[in-house]
Amino acid sequence: MDHALDELDRDILNRIQTEVPLAERPFQMLGREFGLSETEVLSRISRMWDLGIVRRLGPIINYPAWGMSGVLVAAQVDQEHLEAVQDCIKGIPEITHAYLRDFEWNFWFTVIAENEDKRDAIIEKVTREADLKKVEKLPQKKSFKLGVKFEI
Amino acid sequence: MMVSDREFIDAAGKGLELKARPFKSLAEALGMSEQEVLEHMAALIEQGRVRRFAASVRHQPMGFSANAMVIARVEPEAIDRVGEQGSKLKAVSHCYHRSHPDGDPWCIYLMVHGQDETLVEQTVGLIQDLPGVREVSVCRSVAELKKTSLSGVSTEI
């Protein structure tokens, strides 16, 4: 599959990362901005979807405003427990992102739960089941940049 | 309205279908009119409970093949300055003040994305040179185990 995006694809992508119009025909509105037909906008977004670039068009929620609690967690885990890590996080929808990193703290994940108690219970469960050696919660003290919009 | 805000956001969080009138099927699923769905989403944005209604993307297939998480240990009085100056770097997508997992409370976390390794390294160099930065750790992801959203609801943590 051709992974190349042309300039219009990139403009559309930058635009929809900021906002998808709340309108009955959002793609028609986008089309007017870019001088394209509704069908053309839809087919360009569909292609970027098939390429795995666009994952979802939907609301990005301000989770604390819903009483939810989320945090980034750094952990240390031995290589031999990586399989347990994978198995464990697979079954926990509240763990939304998980990465292995080439750092002393080699396992990083984010958890978002209904409330703080549930959040901490999930961290406890992962610690136990995946045999994490060290675990540290890293809440944001301040956010300087929440970038999703890229100049691409 | 028939459904609770939570039911509404859970349904909307699944994401739009790619078709000409994408809010119509959502409205049908919720037993609301298309116009009610649009108005309610706009109201949740107005109230600040939804940051925005937008596309979520993956960076990797876009050609951001190189990325790193940079943890900069900084002088306590330089926290805000480093955070602000670091945020201005083009390759930095996210920038937060958090504690270091070792307990050092004076750290700035920067997510750096670049089309190639050179841009990432240049950016790391620029971060290192910011006044007040004592030390930087560059943590590259060696594996992405999971990238999803909770009930389809995207968040930024």
Side-chain angles (χ1 to χ4, degrees):
Chain A
M1 201 176 342
D2 182 11
H3 283 53
L5 301 187
D6 67 18
E7 207 167 314
L8 258 174
D9 289 329
R10 287 159 194 264
D11 287 347
I12 292 170
L13 196 54
N14 273 332
R15 171 71 173 86
I16 63 177
Q17 279 190 87
T18 310
E19 185 211 14
V20 172
L22 289 175
E24 285 181 12
R25 309 274 294 261
F27 305 109
Q28 187 185 56
M29 278 184 74
L30 289 168
R32 285 193 195 125
E33 286 177 34
F34 292 101
L36 299 172
S37 70
E38 182 179 40
T39 317
E40 174 81 13
V41 172
L42 268 167
S43 85
R44 282 173 180 267
I45 297 175
S46 296
R47 186 173 155 265
M48 293 191 276
W49 185 285
D50 293 339
L51 288 170
I53 297 169
V54 174
R55 289 197 300 139
R56 197 184 65 107
L57 306 179
I60 292 164
I61 76 157
N62 180 14
Y63 65 91
W66 297 76
M68 297 167 77
S69 182
V71 75
L72 172 71
V73 180
Q76 293 184 20
V77 60
D78 286 329
Q79 289 294 321
E80 68 254 37
H81 295 310
L82 289 184
E83 212 166 304
V85 166
Q86 297 234 34
D87 288 346
C88 175
I89 63 172
K90 219 183 293 168
I92 306 177
E94 288 87 352
I95 294 182
T96 55
H97 297 69
Y99 298 92
L100 298 179
R101 295 191 180 276
D102 61 349
F103 189 52
E104 194 187 355
W105 296 81
N106 57 347
F107 174 43
W108 294 70
F109 62 97
T110 53
V111 50
I112 309 171
E114 285 302 317
N115 56 51
E116 205 169 300
D117 286 348
K118 284 192 184 163
R119 181 196 76 184
D120 290 346
I122 288 164
I123 297 171
E124 182 55 41
K125 179 180 155 77
V126 179
T127 305
R128 203 174 49 240
E129 288 184 11
D131 224 337
L132 306 182
K133 284 195 298 190
K134 281 188 180 176
V135 182
E136 208 57 57
K137 283 184 276 191
L138 299 167
Q140 283 177 37
K141 293 201 169 81
K142 185 168 179 178
S143 165
F144 294 97
K145 189 176 192 178
L146 265 182
V148 281
K149 188 170 173 281
F150 285 100
E151 295 300 325
I152 50 171
Chain B
M1 204 178 60
M2 307 291 284
V3 299
S4 71
D5 281 353
R6 190 50 202 259
E7 287 167 316
F8 178 82
I9 207 70
D10 282 348
K14 296 195 176 87
L16 295 183
E17 291 173 42
L18 291 180
K19 53 187 194 186
R21 291 181 67 172
F23 292 100
K24 201 166 170 241
S25 20
L26 177 60
E28 280 161 8
L30 288 164
M32 297 167 72
S33 75
E34 209 174 357
Q35 205 51 43
E36 281 170 336
V37 166
L38 291 166
E39 280 167 14
H40 195 56
M41 189 59 73
L44 290 172
I45 292 172
E46 182 69 34
Q47 294 159 18
R49 301 174 75 196
V50 171
R51 289 187 201 275
R52 59 184 185 280
F53 193 91
S56 304
V57 304
R58 289 180 72 93
H59 303 138
Q60 216 93 323
M62 278 201 297
F64 285 94
S65 50
N67 75 83
M69 182 178 74
V70 177
I71 307 176
R73 295 184 193 250
V74 310
E75 304 295 341
E77 65 278 8
I79 275 283
D80 283 345
R81 199 177 57 226
V82 172
E84 278 150 26
Q85 292 177 347
S87 296
K88 290 197 184 111
L89 300 173
K90 214 175 162 187
V92 170
S93 65
H94 295 63
C95 180
Y96 302 107
H97 173 201
R98 307 181 191 271
S99 298
H100 191 280
D102 284 338
D104 182 348
W106 308 112
C107 284
I108 297 285
Y109 282 63
L110 306 102
M111 294 305 306
V112 179
H113 297 269
Q115 249 122 8
D116 57 58
E117 206 43 56
T118 322
L119 179 62
V120 171
E121 272 164 28
Q122 272 173 6
T123 306
V124 171
L126 291 170
I127 294 166
Q128 200 144 24
D129 290 344
L130 292 174
V133 173
R134 291 200 307 253
E135 187 196 341
V136 302
S137 308
V138 180
C139 319
R140 289 168 200 281
S141 65
V142 290
E144 183 183 280
L145 302 181
K146 198 171 189 184
K147 179 160 183 171
T148 56
S149 44
L150 181 66
S151 333
V153 176
S154 274
T155 51
E156 287 155 348
I157 294 180

